[in-house]
Amino acid sequence: MTALLRYQAALLARSHRWLPPLLLYGAFLGIGVQTGQPILDSLGYAAAALLPVAAWLVRACVTQEPAAARDCASAAVGPGRVHLASVLTALGAALVLGTAGTLFVAAVSDPYTADHLHEIPVPEATVSGLLTAVACALLGTAVGALCNRPLLRRPGWAIPATLLAALLVSVAGASPANAAVSGLVDGSHSGTVPMPLLPLALAGAAAAGATALACALSSRRS
C-alpha cells in the first residue's frame, strides 16, 4: 500500500489536478478570513471550506490515472487496493491543506470571543480547529467516494452530484461537519472551546463506510 500511495501522490503532483482545489480553498480563506476576526468563527469557516475541497480532491485522484495504467495496477494488486490508495491520497492532500489553513487562521485571528470581551486560549482553539477540519475533510472524502467512480462514472452525473452532496452535508443539521462547525461558532459566543470528538468519530465512520463501498464496487466492476 505504501508504494501505491507514493504512486498516486506522484500522479497527483505531476497532473496539477491539485491546483484548482488549492485555489478554491485559498479563495475561501482570502474572502472569509481577515486579520483581527474572532478566532473560533474564523476556524469554523476555514474548516467548512475544506469539505467541498476534499470532495474535489477525491474526484481528482480517482479519475487521474489513464485507463491502461489503472488496469495494470489493478492486475498487480487488485482494483480495490488501487481505488483505496486514490481516496487516501486525496484525504492526505485535504488534511495538509486543512492543517495549513488552520495554522494560518490561528496566526492572524483575534483570540477573543465574538463580542471581543473574553479571551480564547489559542492552543486549545487551534486543536479544536484542527479536529473540526479533519471532520470536514473526512466527510468531504465520503462525499467524493460516493459521487464518483465506480458508483458514478459519467462526469455529467458525478460532478453535479458531488457539488450538491457537498452542499447538503455542509448545511444539514444532522451532519457531523455542521455540528463541528456550529460548535466553534457557538463557542465564539459563549467563550468555551469545544472539542468535536463525536462529530469527528461520526465523520470518520462515514468516510470509512463510503470508501469501503467504493472499493468493493471497484473490485466487482473491474
Side-chain angles (χ1 to χ4, degrees):
M1 182 58 71
T2 302
L4 279 175
L5 290 173
R6 288 201 301 265
Y7 169 62
Q8 292 293 336
L11 281 177
L12 180 62
R14 288 199 300 265
S15 70
H16 293 93
R17 290 192 174 199
W18 50 268
L19 186 57
L22 173 63
L23 293 177
L24 176 64
Y25 189 56
F28 273 128
L29 295 185
I31 293 171
V33 176
Q34 298 178 4
T35 302
Q37 289 182 330
I39 186 170
L40 292 180
D41 287 331
S42 295
L43 287 171
Y45 178 88
L50 190 63
L51 196 154
V53 171
W56 191 343
L57 283 167
V58 172
R59 173 162 180 78
C61 287
V62 300
T63 60
Q64 68 180 345
E65 198 172 6
R70 189 177 184 92
D71 289 342
C72 290
S74 298
V77 299
R81 288 171 63 86
V82 173
H83 196 79
L84 176 60
S86 299
V87 175
L88 290 178
T89 299
L91 176 59
L95 292 177
V96 169
L97 286 181
T99 300
T102 299
L103 295 177
F104 167 76
V105 170
V108 303
S109 298
D110 185 25
Y112 282 86
T113 54
D115 56 12
H116 300 281
L117 295 179
H118 303 285
E119 187 174 1
I120 298 292
V122 174
E124 292 182 22
T126 303
V127 171
S128 180
L130 285 172
L131 294 177
T132 303
V134 172
C136 290
L138 287 168
L139 207 57
T141 299
V143 168
L146 293 176
C147 295
N148 291 284
R149 62 182 301 179
L151 285 87
L152 298 177
R153 292 179 177 269
R154 295 184 178 180
W157 288 103
I159 294 174
T162 302
L163 293 174
L164 180 59
L167 175 62
L168 289 177
V169 299
S170 295
V171 302
S175 166
N178 183 283
V181 173
S182 297
L184 285 173
V185 176
D186 293 341
S188 182
H189 290 83
S190 66
T192 59
V193 179
M195 291 297 163
L197 299 180
L198 179 58
L200 178 61
L202 294 175
T211 303
L213 176 61
C215 291
L217 289 178
S218 180
S219 297
R220 289 189 176 188
R221 295 182 180 183
S222 61

